[in-house]
Amino acid sequence: MLDSAPIREPLLEVNNIEVIYNHVILVLKGVSLSVPKGGITTLLGGNGAGKTTTLKAISNLLQSERGAVTKGSIKYKGETVQGRDPAELVRRGVIQVMEGRHCFQHLTVEENLMTGAYTRRDGKGAVAADLEMVYDYFPRLRERRKSQAGYTSGGEQQMCAIGRALMSRPEMILLDEPSMGLAPQLVEQIFEIVKSVNEAEGLSFLLAEQNTNVALRFAHTGYILESGRVVMEGLAADLRENPDVKEFYLGMSDEGRKSFRDVRSYRRRKRWLA
Amino acid sequence: MLYRTAGQFKTSYKADQALFPVKQDAILLGVILVFAWVVFPLAASEFTFQTLLIPILIYALAAMGLNILTGYAGQLSLGTAAFMGVGAYACYKMVTLMPWMNPIVAILLSGVFSAGVGVAFGIPSLRIKGFYLAIATLAAQFFLVWLFEKWAWLYNYNASGAIQVPNLEMFGVYVAGPQADSLVQYYVVLAIVSVMTMLCINLTRGTLGRTWKATRDVDIAAELIGINLMKSKLTAFMVSSYIVGVAGALFVFMWRGAAEPNLFDIPLSFRILFIAIIGGLGSILGNYLGAILIVGLPVVLGTLPAALGVPIASSMVEHINVMMVGALIIFFLIIEPHGLAQLWRLIREKLIIWPFPH
Amino acid sequence: QELYAPNLAYRTGPFAATGIPLMNGQRDYMTMLNARDGGIGGVAINFEECETGYSTEKGVECYEKTKGQAIVTQPWSTGITLQVLPKSNVDQIPILAPGYGFSPMADGKVFQWAFNTPASYWDAASMMLEYIGEENLKGKKVAFLHLDHPFGKEPLPLMEKKAADIGFELLPIPVGLKEMQNQSAQWLQIRRERPDYVIMWGWGAMNAGAITEAVKTRFPMDKMIGVWWAGHDADLKIVGEDGKGYKSISFSYPVLDAPLMADIQKYVVDEGKTLSNEEEMQGVFYSRGLVISMILAEGIKVAQEHAGTAEISPSDLRWGLENLNITEARLAELGMTGMVPPFQTTCANHTGHSGGWMLEWDGEKFQKVSDLLQAEAEVIAPLEAQMAAEYAAANEPWPVSACN
Amino acid sequence: MLNQIFVAPFVDMFAAPDFLLQVLWEGLVSGILYALIALGFVLIFRSSRIFNFAQGIMVVFAALTLVGLYEMGVPAWVSVVLTLGVMFILAVSIEKIVLRPLVGQPDIILFMATIGITLFLIGLGEIIFGGENKVMITEALGIPTGSVVFEPWGGLLILEEKDITAVGVAGMLVVALLLFLNKTRMGRAIRALGDDPQAALSVGISLQTIWVLVWFIAGIIALVTGVAWGARAGVSFALEVIAYKALPVLMLGGLESITGAIIGGLMIGMLEKLFEIYWGQPILGGNTETWFAFVLALIVLLFRPQGLFGEKIIERV
Amino acid sequence: MLDDTKPASAGQTVTDIALMELQNITLRFGGVVAINDISFDIRQGEVRAIIGPNGAGKSSMLNIISGFYTPSEGQILYKGAPRPAMRPYEVARTGVARTFQNIALFEGMTVLDNVMTGRLTHMNAGIFSQALWLGKARNEEIANREIVEKVIDFLEIQNIRKTPVGRLSYGLKKRVELARALAAEPSILLLDEPMAGMNVEEKEDMSRFILDVNDEFGTTIALIEHDMGVVMDLSDRVVVMDYGKKIGDGTPDEVRNNQDVIDAYLGVAH
Ligand SMILES: Nc1ncnc2c1ncn2[C@@H]1O[C@H](COP(=O)(O)OP(=O)(O)OP(=O)(O)O)[C@@H](O)[C@H]1O
Ligand SMILES: Nc1ncnc2c1ncn2[C@@H]1O[C@H](COP(=O)(O)OP(=O)(O)OP(=O)(O)O)[C@@H](O)[C@H]1O
Ligand SMILES: [Mg+2]
Ligand SMILES: [Mg+2]
């Protein structure tokens, strides 16, 4: 779909990083990737592959989980981000939407969205306009604007978290599993929003996803992570055509989509493990 | 390679459930026991008994009681000292009303009273959670201390309002009171504390332990998978207060010899909480480590200037001591919020994979 | 060579305010002896402090730490005293608790190792009532404002007995340890009950609290009398002029021109060895500290003479403390005339019952406003004997000496 | 007995209404002071879920610094400014040394850390200021020290002017705080932080800034409290125990609520005084103030587990 | 059923007997009507899916079934009899087990202990026997451990048996949660979005587990899921909810072609 988007200069570069939790658990074993300016890059991989860890390493949120980048470098616009205050990164335009809908439970939906604009200095009017924009993207949020976020449904919370990130007027969003727990048409809708924001405002995305199908449809480039290593990378279109990706990530067999009923426990070995 | 677990296979679930599935742990424990039962008693001076060995054991026991409640069942308690007080006063009343009673039996029975009081003050935990629950335990804390002060029957109407441990003998040996020998008291404490530790280990690794931990971690989910929260919380209060009560009785009868009501005031509760937390919530071993640190540290710090020949006024030593304890608490919380026991666990993990870094 | 006479001091914690001047006085006296006379009988005194912060637990730790070499224990709190009292028989170390501790300790036959020289709490209570006068008490109401702690409860048995004997109404009003700074409830009660006198058994932060509340409630200051630990200059300075008329019983009195003070100035202050300051040194508590150390020093001296050696043992010191005879003449020799009344101890009488003076706050400092008052021995002695016997019975087996 | 509990106290109240008013006034004043301490707690709790036990010692520390500086010859108002400076440095150091490394740890760990801070400050404070009771520099600060006397119904009601001042200042402080929390961007950030620090970090709320700010405000509140309490009974480390009194106030009012802290403080202040005077002293031997507040809070919590004004605990699965 | 001594009722087919019937359920939170007069049944042995947009009230419905919420109106028939008001733990003891939308594992315990908690309803040794680790407590521990090990084998999580669950990745946590629910040997298993946050490979595994549980043990399953592929492939019948109301009920094919459902939820036909 968008696979042919031109590869522009890299906005974010992750260079061979290693992450250790608690001083003992080695999770990332040398991950490198780059996100081009104005591109949508997706990070695919199974559970525990290290997607979230990668995103947190970038946004410097690892520290509070007793994790640390022990090797390698991360550069945003050519400058090292390690050791910086997460808030500073937000000010410079990188914001993360965390996995698992971290909304402020006791704040109302609207207050949640407003916290997204915390670092902004461009006046009330601009913020209010963006609030309207977010409400236009997510009409459901408008309905529930006065409810405490803690009492909204899972999907509503996810929208709230994404809306909150948009409120900061970022240049780059690190989006961790936006589709998780969302109804299909919402997933579609959210990815449409990602796409339109990307196109309209030139926002770059780094998108960790399990929903490979959707992710590869919308992204320009992709990386596949397994057990803390990048095992495959390339243009989304190419990845979609790769037979292994097809079988293991898209659930397609040669005859088209497999039914979940027919899955056997025996599986072909992944080629890159060979 | 000293600490290798590889090669120690378990062939039955029974073996897997043995207390020390790793051989090295069992050896280590053996060494500690030899020290506790043989080496220390032979080597220790009166001062060591009175300021280190006996109090460390008793504090560790009290912290263990608290740990059951706070560390395992997740119910924050700031009233430990008051429950210790209940144990101590119950024991005092028993031995003065029934002087023929065996002192050890009295000590073990006194826990029953604090268990009862503990359950009563635990009832609000069914509705109140987190820090709010602390209020219930604080109410117990302040109300009970007030009661110890006002209810003259508890201290046999004596003029000072303090209780004084009479000389108590067992098989012709004084075990409590001014005439009792420190060595004897040490052995009594060690025996009781060892047995209680064993029981605690059993309780916490079995069904009840899992019930408590489930209640602690996600109480809603716990209830939804079939745990009766009321029962779980109240048994935690009961077991915890029992142990704490016994620790209180030991505290006064085997160590202090006398007690005023305000001995059981909140600073003591905090002290025990420190021990439990620095040692590690949800760990049995941690209570000992915490007690060694919190009881031992000030003693060591206090003797340090003299030993080094640095002339510092003792009040200054004390100020510095208070500061150091405060700073060390923060320090230990920072290096390992889950306590010394967790630190030990991490060291073990490192040892297991040693000499490889990961 | 030195004599190890540690002091379980408290310069920290909620009672530090009253503790510090006392500790300073005690310390300066011993420092002075060491500097001027080279100690006592030629042996220097090691007057080390072990900090307790008034905590019983720390106190016991200090006791255990020091008891190996120490010739004396100065526990400095009623709680610690109660704690170490039963151990003293076993450890055989004299406890010196001047003006505090357990009043029945006066009975030397039962409490062979404990000394509350020169006066006990019951002495204090008795003298306070005597000062007010029986005729002024009959049918009146006396509020007894006290710390809710063993210390505060000490005089109750005697007060109750006197209330019954004389026929006044005794109204005990306890102040909790946590309420020391916030006594409005107690003073509202006093306002409601309108007692004729307030007798105060306060300590540490409680005193300042009580005195400010009294001023605020407009309780007549001259009807308020404190025990000797409630007569600290700094506590009264908070209210200054408004505190005029407040009284405190005392077994000591600062005599600023006494020869001793000159020696302290010369050997301690001028040498820069004091921890005190000029203002504090003029106060009642500092000079009481001097007196307390004097008692210990005299005990050591008597013991040395008796034992025939300068390096005495704890038992020798016990003998010394049992045979103190502080006469006017001896006080003059010590340069302490007027700083403490004369008194004498015996094997059976460990208090000495020196008597005391009533001091009154004149807006700036305490003034002596009475002649020497004496406690009623005939009331106190039987009570002492009775309670001492009860104590011994409760702590069977408890050795009792015959004293002959 | 029943008469003593249910009749006599009310008869007493009726018989001496001026005295009743005095009791209520005294209760009100202590209540305000409890509330002030509780305010410091609430602010910190809201922003970080830290149950700041050190608020009590901060009160002592602030008051001692003020008095200490004044005794060194610094003019009163300059001392106030310098003391605020000290409180700011304290806030920065606490944030840097203690809070930052402990981000995201369980509540109880942070609670313990604040007890660690308390111990540290006690030791440090005693080294710097010594343990003596100090006189608050009430007059130098221009706080009136006289008293207003009314004679209602021929009785006597004494209101100390410094107490009246304390009540007034506390009131203003509360209004200011409420406006700050609910109407400003910072206020919203403070509340967000309390809910989910990770998420707050991720939207660019700087923990450092907010925490320093919050601890500094708590320091200002501590200074006000210290002056008010110190004016009543002098300043010494014994004051630290009043921190305990703030606990039931907080629980009763709700840990997150400014209004709750105030109303809780007043309720506890007045009710405990009434209970002590009319029930505690005549029937129970007095000193019921040590526990009454806790038991009262406990009873209220049984009906409202989040306190009167606390945020409802959201329970979902 | 996991017990070797009992014959496994493998290959059990869907019956017509309703295991649970929900009748006119309404649930209100203050002013919000989360569920509005919904009735449907769950038959013995079937896989029943509940789908609907976010906030439709699906989780709330599951909460009602598992006793966490009490319906404002309506009643539940379980195994043919009306279910009286019960505490959630009592409901669990009648054979209802569940997993949670936002994983609710006991983070402080190992995987093994977590799964063992699933057996708590089957364990009843007294406190003294536990404290002394004697007789009953010990035997019970071993017997239940064996059952738990079977579940662990079944779900292929042997290698993480002794790992604290806090360290697991999301997907493994979900599997552990399933294990915990299975260990209780429930009559009805409620799964709230068991496959959220998984990739296809993992969904395939999970599907296989769900189907196997259903086939081999005959456990009735009620399942909420947003992945239509999964829902359509696995379920026997589907209820569709929207804004608290029921807008469709039937076989996957019926639902797939229901215009209301397409409008409200699917967006495009699947
Ligand atoms: N705080 C932590 N402490 C220890 N280990 C952790 C921690 N967080 C994550 N891990 C481990 O790091 C590995 C990678 O986790 P991560 O959350 O990055 O995976 P992921 O690719 O995002 O998976 P998912 O799709 O399930 O979210 C996992 O094995 C996990 O167990
Ligand atoms: N405890 C509660 N208090 C108030 N409102 C609630 C509560 N629980 C749920 N709700 C409301 O009820 C509605 C239904 O929520 P529910 O969680 O059941 O949705 P859902 O269908 O599971 O959605 P999702 O697919 O996003 O998980 C939502 O609008 C939610 O805000
Ligand atoms: Mg992830
Ligand atoms: Mg849901």
Side-chain angles (χ1 to χ4, degrees), chain B residues 48-354:
Chain B
T48 320
F49 276 126
Q50 288 296 327
T51 58
L52 289 173
L53 294 177
I54 297 180
I56 282 175
L57 287 173
I58 296 174
Y59 273 116
L61 183 66
M64 202 182 310
L66 175 64
N67 223 321
I68 296 273
L69 186 62
T70 303
Y72 285 93
Q75 312 297 306
L76 176 61
S77 167
L78 300 178
T80 319
F83 296 115
M84 285 175 77
V86 174
Y89 278 89
C91 194
Y92 179 72
K93 283 310 284 185
M94 279 191 284
V95 299
T96 50
L97 286 175
M98 299 171 276
W100 41 264
M101 198 175 215
N102 179 310
I104 291 187
V105 172
I107 286 171
L108 292 178
L109 271 182
S110 48
V112 174
F113 292 86
S114 54
V117 179
V119 169
F121 279 98
I123 290 172
S125 69
L126 304 179
R127 253 182 90 71
I128 308 175
K129 293 181 183 167
F131 279 123
Y132 286 104
L133 178 63
I135 200 76
T137 56
L138 279 172
Q141 172 69 66
F142 290 104
F143 181 74
L144 289 171
V145 169
W146 177 83
L147 203 65
F148 299 154
E149 201 114 37
K150 296 286 166 191
W151 191 9
W153 177 80
L154 282 179
Y155 48 85
N156 291 345
Y157 304 96
N158 73 29
S160 63
I163 55 175
Q164 180 96 45
V165 178
N167 288 305
L168 298 175
E169 57 175 4
M170 207 171 98
F171 314 123
V173 182
Y174 284 114
V175 294
Q179 303 282 343
D181 188 44
S182 291
L183 183 71
V184 175
Q185 296 198 307
Y186 171 75
Y187 273 121
V188 171
V189 172
L190 184 61
I192 292 181
V193 173
S194 307
V195 170
M196 295 279 225
T197 306
M198 193 61 216
L199 299 185
C200 279
I201 291 175
N202 284 340
L203 278 181
T204 50
R205 69 188 173 137
T207 317
L208 205 49
R210 280 190 292 267
T211 312
W212 288 335
K213 288 188 252 180
T215 310
R216 167 194 72 190
D217 287 346
V218 201
D219 56 351
I220 298 176
E223 186 163 24
L224 282 165
I225 64 164
I227 290 174
N228 182 345
L229 289 184
M230 177 165 88
K231 226 171 114 187
S232 162
K233 289 181 182 176
L234 292 186
T235 48
F237 269 97
M238 184 178 83
V239 173
S240 158
S241 314
Y242 176 80
I243 297 168
V244 166
V246 170
L250 289 175
F251 190 76
V252 173
F253 277 70
M254 291 294 139
W255 183 39
R256 304 293 297 272
E260 319 137 34
N262 72 307
L263 175 66
F264 302 108
D265 216 336
I266 198 152
L268 181 62
S269 293
F270 276 152
R271 199 142 194 238
I272 292 164
L273 192 58
F274 279 148
I275 295 175
I277 290 181
I278 299 273
L281 285 177
S283 142
I284 297 289
L285 170 74
N287 301 304
Y288 287 91
L289 301 178
I292 290 171
L293 188 80
I294 297 283
V295 178
L297 189 75
V299 177
V300 174
L301 285 180
T303 46
L304 214 55
L308 296 176
V310 190
I312 304 180
S314 86
S315 58
M316 186 54 107
V317 172
E318 184 57 25
H319 294 318
I320 295 177
N321 217 327
V322 174
M323 271 175 74
M324 289 280 276
V325 171
L328 279 174
I329 285 170
I330 298 171
F331 175 75
F332 278 107
L333 291 179
I334 291 172
I335 57 166
E336 186 45 72
H338 299 105
L340 298 173
Q342 173 74 5
L343 211 56
W344 165 238
R345 245 172 265 140
L346 285 180
I347 292 171
R348 259 181 55 177
E349 274 182 39
K350 284 248 183 207
L351 282 177
I352 288 172
I353 52 176
W354 190 81

Side-chain angles (χ1 to χ4, degrees), chain A residues 45-53 55-56 99-100 176-177 180 208-210, chain E residues 169-171 197:
Chain A
N47 290 120
K51 303 182 294 296
T52 302
T53 306
L55 294 198
K56 285 192 172 167
E99 172 183 48
D176 201 351
E177 301 213 26
M180 191 200 293
E209 252 306 341
Q210 297 271 14
Chain E
S169 68
Y170 184 85

